[in-house]
Amino acid sequence: MRDVVYQKCIHPGCGATAELTATAFACPRCGGLVDVAYDWDRVPVPASLRHFETKWADRFHPLNFSGVWRFRELLPFAPEPSFVTIGEGQTLCQPADAVARYVGLHPGRLWLQYEGMNPSGSFKDNGMCAAFTHARLTGATRAACASTGNTSASLAIYCAATQLMRGIIFIGSGKISYGKLSQALEHGVRTIQIHGDFDDALRRVREVSRQLGIYLVNSVNPFRLEGQKTIMLRVLEALRWQLPDWVVVPGGNLGNVSSFAKAFQELFELGLIPRKPRLAVIHSTGADTFFQLYEKWGLRWRQGQYDAAAIDAYYRELDASGRKPDTLASAIEIHRPVNLPKALRAMAWCHGVVRAVPDAEILDAKARIGAGGLGCEPASAASVAGLRQLVREGVIHPEEQVVCVLTGHVLKDPDETVAYHTTDRAVFDAKLGRRGIPSVAFANHAVVVPNDLDAIIHAIEQNA
Ligand code: F0G
């Protein structure tokens, strides 16, 4: 009889399986991406999502405190004593009327899911606790990732807090914000900086992990995506189990969107939700592979029979033109998203759309989000900038209920925030001006005054 939990090729035409404890994270037959698959008939599933409310009364139990593991019945890939938690997932999902006004939605229709409250300051911890749990099942002692900064910060904090594995991170040269780099250094992972960008680093870390038998925690690891499903479960929880019409999420390596769609597909198939929300993935125009392929080239999932030759042709074109990803939203500065086929499937499952927004709009959206009371990093604000565009286009109606995922904390990248609000032209130009952003809409300039009481009082009254 088949195992209750196993890994399975995402391509329906292949469908080869691998054991739960396999660590290649690739289909043993065709080399494609794999899912964590469950025989749901043989695992106990709650009759209703309201079941999870009972966990709230028992928050002294670390697994019920965790915003990931309190939903463990929906990611039942390991026995309970193996679960790794450092208290991840204590996040907020709240209405944001000021931001709703900015994007053109009616009051009460926009909610922001704020993942900056995780232990390492980004959504990555949802997946890292699940990857560590799987790694423990495999007996791994070392873990590695390539990163634009947040995965490495998360890996570092889980290594330090649990002492279960030693961490090794691969980063591109000059491609990581200081907030994130400082986390990796502070928590003590071995940091390998290579000449190249994230795509180069990811290729290398996959080679190195295979050769040295190091456990890989990039989002090609399907166990990470199991943990990230709970971001959507917490959204539903905050909405009292009502479904939003749309979930809008920034796209980098396309792990989140793949994970969210899997969550909704499973809930739907288990009869726990009556329909699925639509998904919108937002890129920066400086790193917009999925937008180009899905919206411009018309690439579709087609039950796994997607046009792989078109993807190759697109990458050949990128290489031939020497175009490198280039965006101020450094977390999503990625040209070769590893989860692209899963993201295509996500679009099919959840009737999705993809958009790309310019950096200037991302930064303006970020300032509006900040003025509304939640601090996020640029990549996160792509979701709100993209939503604004979709409302303008009439794809999203002002009455629809929308959740934007804010993936990382504002302190991850203070340099960009300061450059946005600065009065110092040199500071502005060094970050924004040199990328062709001549001015910004919502700068909150500091007022420079002499050290003089009257001048200080005058400055305060003028700005009141
Ligand atoms: N937002 C933030 C803050 C991120 O750090 C990332 C990815 C994304 C969005 C994109 O998510 O890959 O699931 O589409 N950061 C990775 C990293 C690549 O290395 O930290 P995705």
Side-chain angles (χ1 to χ4, degrees):
M1 190 158 63
R2 164 163 317 294
D3 293 337
V4 173
V5 193
Y6 50 101
Q7 300 181 40
K8 184 175 182 201
C9 178
I10 68 164
H11 296 281
C14 173
T17 60
E19 284 195 351
L20 169 65
T21 51
T23 54
F25 306 135
C27 171
R29 188 181 302 149
C30 73
L33 295 169
V34 289
D35 279 324
V36 180
Y38 306 95
D39 181 351
W40 289 110
D41 291 336
R42 289 158 66 208
V43 288
V45 175
S48 142
L49 289 173
R50 292 205 59 182
H51 157 81
F52 294 105
E53 293 172 15
T54 59
K55 310 277 173 77
W56 282 104
D58 185 25
R59 285 167 63 84
F60 289 123
H61 185 325
L63 297 183
N64 289 340
F65 179 75
S66 165
V68 171
W69 298 118
R70 76 167 172 272
F71 299 105
R72 52 195 174 276
E73 287 98 328
L74 297 174
L75 52 155
F77 65 81
E80 220 170 282
S82 323
F83 291 147
V84 174
T85 179
I86 63 169
E88 57 288 320
Q90 311 304 316
T91 56
L92 285 175
C93 183
Q94 55 190 27
D97 281 352
V99 185
R101 208 172 313 119
Y102 173 65
V103 300
L105 288 185
H106 291 166
R109 305 319 285 164
L110 174 63
W111 291 58
L112 297 177
Q113 169 66 19
Y114 185 51
E115 288 292 320
M117 291 173 71
N118 274 293
S120 78
S122 87
F123 75 93
K124 302 286 180 179
D125 300 347
N126 293 283
M128 201 56 69
C129 64
F132 266 58
T133 298
H134 180 250
R136 199 186 224 182
L137 297 180
T138 71
T141 56
R142 289 189 292 179
C145 68
S147 186
T148 54
N150 280 326
T151 307
S152 52
S154 183
L155 172 60
I157 210 167
Y158 273 83
C159 285
T162 67
Q163 298 288 312
L164 285 170
M165 292 191 283
R166 280 175 294 131
I168 303 147
I169 66 163
F170 286 51
I171 56 176
S173 39
K175 295 289 186 186
I176 176 171
S177 71
Y178 269 16
K180 300 170 189 177
L181 180 59
S182 62
Q183 289 180 288
L185 299 174
E186 187 81 352
H187 296 303
V189 287
R190 178 170 287 281
T191 302
I192 313 282
Q193 186 165 14
I194 66 162
H195 291 291
D197 57 21
F198 172 82
D199 296 311
D200 301 317
L202 183 58
R203 202 157 39 219
R204 287 294 180 208
V205 78
R206 292 181 82 171
E207 284 167 8
V208 170
S209 297
R210 210 173 301 126
Q211 200 161 323
L212 299 182
I214 299 174
Y215 187 87
L216 187 66
V217 298
N218 279 104
S219 56
V220 66
N221 177 333
F223 294 91
R224 258 207 39 206
L225 302 191
E226 287 304 287
Q228 288 168 215
K229 291 193 306 194
T230 64
I231 300 171
M232 289 302 104
L233 295 167
R234 294 198 300 277
V235 163
L236 297 188
E237 185 180 56
L239 298 176
R240 307 278 171 95
W241 314 113
Q242 299 299 307
L243 288 162
D245 297 302
W246 289 87
V247 172
V248 188
V249 61
N253 232 354
L254 303 175
N256 256 341
V257 65
S258 305
S259 163
F260 297 172
K262 184 171 189 277
F264 290 129
Q265 185 68 14
E266 286 173 348
L267 291 176
F268 184 70
E269 286 175 3
L270 290 169
L272 291 169
I273 54 173
R275 62 174 177 85
K276 291 171 278 180
R278 296 187 67 184
L279 290 174
V281 180
I282 315 298
H283 278 315
S284 159
T285 47
D288 63 350
T289 293
F290 193 41
F291 171 68
Q292 292 294 337
L293 284 171
Y294 186 76
E295 298 288 352
K296 300 283 182 191
W297 292 35
L299 192 70
R300 290 294 180 274
W301 169 241
R302 300 195 202 295
Q303 280 81 44
Q305 306 289 315
Y306 61 86
D307 185 356
I311 302 176
D312 291 342
Y314 182 79
Y315 288 152
R316 268 201 310 279
E317 232 177 77
L318 275 185
D319 288 342
S321 66
R323 208 149 53 86
K324 292 285 179 192
D326 183 24
T327 166
L328 277 165
S330 60
I332 52 174
E333 192 175 58
I334 296 172
H335 254 169
R336 293 169 188 263
V338 72
N339 288 300
L340 202 145
K342 278 189 180 177
L344 281 175
R345 186 181 64 174
M347 297 294 97
W349 275 347
C350 292
H351 195 194
V353 299
V354 189
R355 290 294 181 274
V357 286
D359 281 358
E361 290 180 27
I362 292 176
L363 295 183
D364 284 343
K366 174 175 167 303
R368 288 290 84 195
I369 297 163
L374 292 175
C376 70
E377 64 171 287
S380 310
S383 60
V384 169
L387 167 60
R388 188 161 177 261
Q389 183 170 319
L390 287 164
V391 173
R392 228 168 24 215
E393 288 175 18
V395 173
I396 296 183
H397 190 267
E399 257 309 309
E400 288 189 294
Q401 182 159 38
V402 183
V403 176
C404 283
V405 183
L406 301 181
T407 44
H409 200 283
V410 67
L411 295 177
K412 290 282 189 173
D413 196 350
D415 289 2
E416 270 174 19
T417 306
V418 171
Y420 184 93
H421 294 287
T422 189
T423 48
D424 184 332
R425 193 71 213 181
V427 174
F428 182 91
D429 281 343
K431 274 268 177 201
L432 280 60
R434 83 178 172 81
R435 287 178 184 258
I437 299 175
S439 63
V440 293
F442 306 110
N444 174 27
H445 293 310
V447 185
V448 181
V449 288
N451 186 7
D452 171 273
L453 188 59
D454 288 340
I456 292 169
I457 289 172
H458 179 71
I460 291 170
E461 295 299 353
Q462 271 223 317
N463 276 284

